[in-house]
Amino acid sequence: MKNSNLKIAITGGIGSGKSTAAAIIKEMGYTVLSSDTIVSELYRKRRVKKLLKSIFPDAVKGTLFLKIDRKKIAAQAFNDQQKHKQLTDTITPLVLNEILSQAEKTKILFAEVPLLFECNYQKYFDQVIVVVREKSARIASVKSRSALTEEQVIARMQKQIDYDNFDLSPFVVIENNGSKCDLKEKVLSAVNALK
């Protein structure tokens, strides 16, 4: 790895196992940020709540104390292309800014970034690790961990790039097609190869 302030993104489609890969890297002792955690923190800020209220007026209740219904926002965003774009355009730059800000304080920073390619954010990172997995296994994984139907999972997949037909050759690709132990070995190998 290069000397200082190295930024490495971890990405992959929904249900690919990128969060598991990120957790393995964290266990190795590296600083790992989660975009989902950053989003949760942003959603607690009043200025972000006000932005969300302007896009999803019936999903953010109240006037003085604003309360967000995240499930309602997700349902509306995944069923309305324009609202999905507005949400992405509003939140993802804030997430990226937080990651880049944290990276300045850390020699080597890994960040789990689900919409990396969709937002063309790969250019902000020195390396990218992409976790890929067979589509049916991804669907089964998401269904088992959430209350989503297969149709809802597929709708979310369609908002992401098609990993089967996207050129991943410039990046470090980890195939998650076995057990968690297999994935751990591949992640360890990939991270060590970056050194």
Side-chain angles (χ1 to χ4, degrees), residues 32 39 68 73-74 86 88 105-106 115 120 129 137 167 169-171 173:
V32 181
V39 169
I68 294 173
I73 286 177
Q86 285 179 289
T88 303
K105 307 169 193 169
T106 312
L115 296 177
N120 197 29
I129 295 172
D167 179 18
S169 59
F171 313 111
V173 178

Side-chain angles (χ1 to χ4, degrees), residues 117-135:
F117 298 127
E118 292 81 355
C119 295
N120 197 29
Y121 284 171
Q122 62 270 29
K123 61 191 173 190
Y124 295 102
F125 294 86
D126 302 295
Q127 298 272 1
V128 175
I129 295 172
V130 185
V131 183
V132 295
R133 192 180 197 183
E134 199 271 320
K135 187 176 179 180

Side-chain angles (χ1 to χ4, degrees), residues 22-149:
I24 293 165
I25 294 168
K26 194 169 188 175
E27 284 170 13
M28 294 172 73
Y30 291 102
T31 301
V32 181
L33 297 181
S34 160
S35 290
D36 288 344
T37 302
I38 294 170
V39 169
S40 294
E41 290 165 2
L42 287 170
Y43 275 24
R44 288 199 285 269
K45 296 180 187 251
R46 180 165 173 79
R47 66 184 176 88
V48 175
K49 289 179 181 179
K50 287 173 81 174
L51 286 170
L52 291 171
K53 190 172 177 72
S54 68
I55 305 169
F56 305 95
D58 59 337
V60 183
K61 301 293 184 190
T63 47
L64 188 58
F65 299 104
L66 300 173
K67 186 171 172 56
I68 294 173
D69 185 333
R70 290 189 67 166
K71 284 187 178 175
K72 198 176 265 190
I73 286 177
Q76 288 182 25
F78 285 108
N79 288 310
D80 183 322
Q81 188 66 40
Q82 187 182 349
K83 283 189 184 294
H84 185 271
K85 186 177 184 324
Q86 285 179 289
L87 178 63
T88 303
D89 291 349
T90 301
I91 298 298
T92 54
L94 300 176
V95 174
L96 179 67
N97 287 342
E98 180 60 26
I99 291 169
L100 297 179
S101 169
Q102 291 294 325
E104 289 175 10
K105 307 169 193 169
T106 312
K107 189 175 178 187
I108 300 169
L109 178 102
F110 290 83
E112 185 187 347
V113 187
L115 296 177
L116 184 82
F117 298 127
E118 292 81 355
C119 295
N120 197 29
Y121 284 171
Q122 62 270 29
K123 61 191 173 190
Y124 295 102
F125 294 86
D126 302 295
Q127 298 272 1
V128 175
I129 295 172
V130 185
V131 183
V132 295
R133 192 180 197 183
E134 199 271 320
K135 187 176 179 180
S136 61
R138 290 171 58 199
I139 293 169
S141 172
V142 178
K143 280 176 67 181
S144 72
R145 75 176 189 221
S146 67
L148 298 175
T149 65

Side-chain angles (χ1 to χ4, degrees), residues 152-193:
Q152 289 171 318
V153 177
I154 291 168
R156 280 160 171 72
M157 283 181 167
Q158 288 169 345
K159 299 280 187 214
Q160 297 181 319
I161 63 149
D162 178 0
Y163 282 87
D164 294 331
N165 295 299
F166 189 74
D167 179 18
L168 298 174
S169 59
F171 313 111
V172 177
V173 178
I174 296 174
E175 290 187 17
N176 181 15
N177 51 12
S179 67
K180 189 175 175 182
C181 285
D182 293 331
L183 178 61
K184 186 169 187 174
E185 280 183 29
K186 289 177 180 179
V187 171
L188 294 175
S189 173
V191 171
N192 288 329

